[in-house]
């Protein structure tokens, strides 16, 4: 059966653990894996911009002996003369694995439904699973454990990265506070809250939505934030969003309310003075560039896992 990665909960805890440990091994001894994807090709469909995702996937494929094709939706007949099902059926006759960064979750689901090869969600409006596996690899490297942790998230919670962070916190049985403004356009969708409740039944996770940044930061081991202006949000909303989210900015006061050895994470891109201050992101508790590096290692492990090469 072909496996896909559309959101982090497509994988079990055991599978996440396996991939994270493989990623750490691949980071230490990359040469052991140099020939694993010889003559294999990945198609990467992009509808939104990217630095980290595009460059880390292309580099990763190259390091494994394979090849990645960057394919912009702007250059494709998709949505004009062709539907996503035909794109998936044709592309999977050529390539071994497909990645997609698109606006709508339904497009990733349709690709997965019609593709004969694994499909990886490289970010849509519902999930960013590659980011989240890299984040957990980084937390394990920094904290030495993935249990008994409190995570806190600040800012825009109607958000792909937030959703997958909540899912993985629920999968691992962690405590997590999501601090966001009130109002449906800034808080998690009910469907996601239902998913989290279901996942938490098994793991005994405690994932809460709160509306106070200091309360969320309290006793936290990991503070995480993401852009207030996710890809696709119109620029004319920037000033209004800045006002709404400012009480959830990760600044020194928020960071100081967490545990003294807490780490600060941001999937990037980041705007200093917006979702966090420069003092925080450029300060000693920030691990954002180690986090960004791990995209490369985690994604190499994800691809090999989906292609049954591990
Ligand atoms: N974190 C992340 O996905 O970055 P890019 O948008 O640059 O790919
Ligand atoms: N929430 C952000 C994540 C960027 C990696 C966005 O969708 O733009």
């Amino acid at each position: 059966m072909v496996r896909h990665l559309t959101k982090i909960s497509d994988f079990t805890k055991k599978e996440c653990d396996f991939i994270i440990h493989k990623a750490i091994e691949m980071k230490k001894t990359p040469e052991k894996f140099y020939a694993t994807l010889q003559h294999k090709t990945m198609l990467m469909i992009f509808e939104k911009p990217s630095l980290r995702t595009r460059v880390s996937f292309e580099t990763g494929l190259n390091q494994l002996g394979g090849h990645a094709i960057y394919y912009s939706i702007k250059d494709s007949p998709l949505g004009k003369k062709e539907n996503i099902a035909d794109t998936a059926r044709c592309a999977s006759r050529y390539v071994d694995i497909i990645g997609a960064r698109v606006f709508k979750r339904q497009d990733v689901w349709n690709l997965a439904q019609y593709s004969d090869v694994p499909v990886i969600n490289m970010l849509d409006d519902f999930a960013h699973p590659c980011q989240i596996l890299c984040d957990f690899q980084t937390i394990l490297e920094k904290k030495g454990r993935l249990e008994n942790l409190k995570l806190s998230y600040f800012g825009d919670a109607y958000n792909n990265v937030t959703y997958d962070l909540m899912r993985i916190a629920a999968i691992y049985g962690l405590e997590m506070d999501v601090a966001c403004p009130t109002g449906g356009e800034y808080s998690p969708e009910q469907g996601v809250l239902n998913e989290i409740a279901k996942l938490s039944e098994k793991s005994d996770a405690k994932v809460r939505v709160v509306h106070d940044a200091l309360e969320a930061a309290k006793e936290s081991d990991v503070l995480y934030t993401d852009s207030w202006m996710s890809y696709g949000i119109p620029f004319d909303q920037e000033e209004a969003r800045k006002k709404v989210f400012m009480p959830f900015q990760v600044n020194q006061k928020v960071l100081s309310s967490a545990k003294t050895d807490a780490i600060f994470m941001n999937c990037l891109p980041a705007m200093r003075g917006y979702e966090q201050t420069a003092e925080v992101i450029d300060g000693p508790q920030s691990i954002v560039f180690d986090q960004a590096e791990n995209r490369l290692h985690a994604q190499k492990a994800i691809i090999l896992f989906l292609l049954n090469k591990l």
Side-chain angles (χ1 to χ4, degrees), residues 232-286:
I233 293 176
F235 287 113
D236 63 8
Q237 293 186 17
E238 187 165 354
E239 279 314 304
R241 290 175 71 85
K242 219 174 138 177
K243 275 205 195 85
V244 172
F245 288 122
M246 198 46 91
F248 301 92
Q249 181 188 61
V250 183
N251 51 34
Q252 200 53 50
K253 187 172 173 199
V254 172
L255 190 58
S256 306
S257 310
K259 287 190 182 155
T260 47
D261 62 350
I263 51 176
F264 171 75
M265 302 179 79
N266 183 328
C267 55
L268 307 180
M271 297 264 286
R272 288 161 177 79
Y274 281 60
E275 68 271 6
Q276 69 285 289
T277 57
E279 191 182 17
V280 167
I281 196 169
D282 299 320
Q285 287 166 268
S286 170

Side-chain angles (χ1 to χ4, degrees), residues 49-54 101 128 131 231 267-269 295:
S50 169
L51 167 71
R52 282 145 289 269
T53 304
R54 177 181 176 179
R101 167 167 285 203
H128 196 4
Q131 179 68 52
Y231 296 126
C267 55
L268 307 180
R295 291 294 301 277

Side-chain angles (χ1 to χ4, degrees), residues 68-188:
I69 300 171
Y70 172 78
Y71 187 61
S72 164
I73 279 198
K74 281 207 297 297
D75 305 325
S76 81
L78 194 62
K80 297 169 224 140
K81 289 178 63 174
E82 184 155 295
N83 63 31
I84 204 132
D86 288 354
T87 298
R89 286 190 278 236
C90 290
S92 51
R93 300 282 176 114
Y94 307 130
V95 303
D96 304 281
I97 189 157
I98 298 173
R101 167 167 285 203
V102 291
F103 283 101
K104 297 193 297 286
R105 60 195 77 170
Q106 190 62 51
D107 288 345
V108 170
W109 298 343
N110 287 346
L111 266 179
Q113 184 181 346
Y114 293 102
S115 172
D116 298 325
V117 300
V119 170
I120 297 178
N121 182 356
M122 301 194 300
L123 181 147
D124 61 14
D125 62 337
F126 197 52
H128 196 4
C130 299
Q131 179 68 52
I132 261 50
L133 278 169
C134 125
D135 294 340
F136 265 50
Q137 176 192 342
T138 316
I139 294 171
L140 180 59
E141 288 173 346
K142 300 289 175 189
K143 291 274 163 210
R145 65 184 196 281
L146 289 177
E147 68 273 346
N148 240 328
L149 290 167
K150 180 182 171 188
L151 313 185
S152 48
Y153 175 89
F154 302 85
D156 185 5
Y158 183 78
N159 182 37
N160 41 24
V161 170
T162 323
Y163 292 172
D164 261 352
L165 264 181
M166 292 167 77
R167 291 183 186 110
I168 201 164
I171 290 168
Y172 275 81
L174 302 181
E175 189 181 346
M176 178 175 182
D177 279 352
V178 175
C180 62
T182 51
E185 68 271 52
Y186 311 117
S187 328

